[in-house]
Amino acid sequence: MSASISRWAQLSKTLLFRYGLAILVTAVALLLREILDPYLGNYTPFITMFPTVALLAAYVGLGPSALSVLLGLFGVTYWFIQPRHSFVFWHRPSVLIATVVYLIFGAVMVLGGEWSRRSRLKLRRTRVLFETFLDNSPGAEYLKDESGTYVYANKTNKTRFTSDFIGKTDFDIFPQAIAQQFRDNDLAVLRDNRPREFTETTDESDGVHTWLTVKFPVIDADGKKLIGGKSIDITEKQRAEDALRTASAQFRRFLETAPVGLVRFNRDMLYLDANPAYAEMVGLPLEQVIGRPLQEVIGAEAWQKISPHIDRVLRGERVEYEAILPYPFGSRHVHVVWTPDLDGSNHIVGWIASVMDVTEAKRAEEHLHKVEKLAAAGQLAASLAHEINNPLSSVINALYLLKRHSAMDEHATYLVNTAGSELERVARIVKQSLSYYREGSTQQPVDLAMLMEDSLQVFSEKIRHAGIEITKKLTPGTSILGFADELRQVIDNLLLNAIEATPDGGRLIVCVRSSLDWANLTQLGVRLTIADTGVGIPRESMARVFEPFFTTKPEKGTGLGLWVVRGILAKHGGKIRIRSSWHKPKSGTIISILWPSQASTSQGDALSRSETAN
Ligand code: ADP
Ligand code: MG
């Protein structure tokens, strides 16, 4: 059907067809006049030609209709004008007038028809152009009247929603809520009488779509007010924007939560960006870092250390270094990686730094190193002590026998005594070293309060002699799991140190009770405290008191007491803390040990902390 129509349309355009049609129609008109001839006679010879020419002029065009006028002229003159069968039409005025009128009418028809045909065609072309233009627009374009009834909707509307918009309102097409939203916006445009922009939504099979809509008042040819609208589906764009926003927020969070300092510098060594971890490292709020020169933020001293690397990274090298940087707010040991920052065309526009604060790690590493060294030393000391112990006993025994020997003069006796006291000193050292490293035997509940009582009993004579007043705060039955003789050695060493440090008339407070860990208040444990009003520990000694052989008592000290204490506490999971003041008359030392309740014993180093108060 459509094929035959288009063939017809094709055919109707050919010259031959159009002229043929004109000839045919003219012939029919002449035939009709011939049929009517018995009724009309010589009157109105052109009568059938008027509508014929008018029709041809209107629909077939200038040439064919002009041809029809001429054919009509000749045909009518020949067949219907007296004298018939001749081409004479001027011998009677009435016939001449009729002929001239016919020709004038013909000319007017032909020209007028052509003119109207052309403007009709032009109008159609314009309409088609506009319709294809609007139908090809990817947006939805539409016109509604004041009541909201569609007078135009383009293809996008029709393919996306329904094929018939015209004559309907949004309420006929869309769900109530969505139609209401459209209508509200339409009314806003009518009220304001100016173009307005809206974000509108529709609910489609693949979910909610967002449209960016412009609506504007339109006055049509009749002066009627309409609402014009143009909506573009921005769902994809918006989804992409949302995704981008989420991605960049996630990325931001990465930067913000990274425990590594991340920084971007430009070629002028200004901070372009930095994350909170970095700001914390340099001890400044982020706002005081970004935009400022590197040198200003890290200080002159740190700048000196890192500036040689800047040339390298700006030359395109990846630079990695470790340094102790004296930042203005405290020195940090950092591991740094610098990578050149490139722009789109691979020019170096600055560099990106990742700065890892390894201060704690380094400290822990050093500590571990020290502990390992100490453990090795302890092991060696213990085995040496063990080896020395037997010959030592023999020598002491021999000296004892020698002293009783009658044949010794005064000088010999003096020498033997000196040798004896020196050897006793050696014996003390050996005894303490031996206990540091002892394996085997299982741990048992040890009543610390009882242990303390025993120790005080042993030292009672010494304490009385030194004129020291004792205060005891012992909760009976406060026990931990451990080795009694080693814990006894801890108490003995601490008590002895306190007694030796305290002058005549001083005070000693000992305390054993259940307690919370001060550093972690959810941790229960047992606390032992020994406080004295002795000379105190100067700041410079404080750092060294746990070192083996560190002593301030050259006469009677071994410098092994606290070292042994620490070793034993490590085995028992105890934490020791020393606080001391060495300013007279308020000098004194408080040593406190905490055994956490479920402390895993026999592993790790005693967490020791010490501080000096002035
Ligand atoms: P020693 O007692 O043999 O000197 P320690 O390891 O027991 O060795 O102690 C090391 C040093 O710590 C002591 O020489 C002393 O200077 C200091 N010290 C320890 N305890 C106290 C205390 N309660 N008061 C003052 N100084 C102390
Ligand atoms: Mg001691």
Side-chain angles (χ1 to χ4, degrees), residues 432 493 496-497 500 553 558-562:
Q432 290 205 317
N493 270 319
L496 205 59
N497 281 347
E500 284 168 353
K553 300 170 264 187
T558 60
L560 288 174
L562 289 179

Side-chain angles (χ1 to χ4, degrees), residues 17-33:
F17 174 84
R18 286 161 66 221
Y19 280 93
L21 187 69
I23 293 168
L24 186 74
V25 171
T26 311
V28 169
L30 291 173
L31 191 67
L32 193 63
R33 180 61 184 79

Side-chain angles (χ1 to χ4, degrees), residues 202-332:
T202 56
D203 203 354
E204 290 171 58
S205 55
D206 61 341
V208 172
H209 281 245
T210 310
W211 301 77
L212 180 65
T213 296
V214 188
K215 288 183 172 172
F216 41 90
V218 176
I219 306 290
D220 78 357
D222 305 329
K224 223 170 79 186
K225 204 171 192 183
L226 301 174
I227 305 142
K230 183 179 177 70
S231 305
I232 296 167
D233 188 344
I234 54 167
T235 314
E236 279 311 310
K237 192 173 156 249
Q238 211 170 41
R239 277 184 198 150
E241 271 173 13
D242 284 351
L244 194 70
R245 209 171 309 125
T246 321
S248 83
Q250 276 168 348
F251 184 63
R252 202 70 235 169
R253 266 202 300 284
F254 262 130
L255 289 184
E256 274 165 13
T257 54
V260 179
L262 294 167
V263 202
R264 216 153 57 85
F265 297 99
N266 65 8
R267 287 195 81 96
D268 300 330
M269 293 164 238
L270 294 180
Y271 285 85
L272 295 182
D273 208 347
N275 70 343
Y278 183 81
E280 196 182 317
M281 242 180 266
V282 292
L284 285 173
L286 214 48
E287 316 79 79
Q288 287 184 37
V289 173
I290 296 166
R292 281 178 64 197
L294 171 58
Q295 185 173 4
E296 215 176 280
V297 169
I298 63 171
E301 213 179 317
W303 165 258
Q304 282 225 313
K305 288 195 175 182
I306 67 166
S307 52
H309 303 302
I310 293 176
D311 274 347
R312 288 175 54 205
V313 76
L314 287 182
R315 253 186 278 126
E317 250 180 79
R318 179 182 184 275
V319 181
E320 187 166 357
Y321 61 88
E322 228 168 71
I324 297 172
L325 295 184
Y327 288 139
F329 295 89
S331 185
R332 312 299 306 173

Side-chain angles (χ1 to χ4, degrees), residues 53-66:
V53 170
L55 273 174
L56 287 172
Y59 295 104
V60 189
L62 182 79
S65 55

Side-chain angles (χ1 to χ4, degrees), residues 44 53 94 97 139 196 244 299-301 304 309 311 338 354 362 419 454 458 484 499 501 511 520 558 597 605:
T44 58
V53 170
S94 63
I97 289 170
R196 299 240 342 228
L244 194 70
E301 213 179 317
Q304 282 225 313
H309 303 302
D311 274 347
W338 281 1
S354 108
K362 284 281 159 192
D454 286 354
V458 170
I499 294 164
C511 176
N520 169 15
T558 60
S597 283
D605 177 50

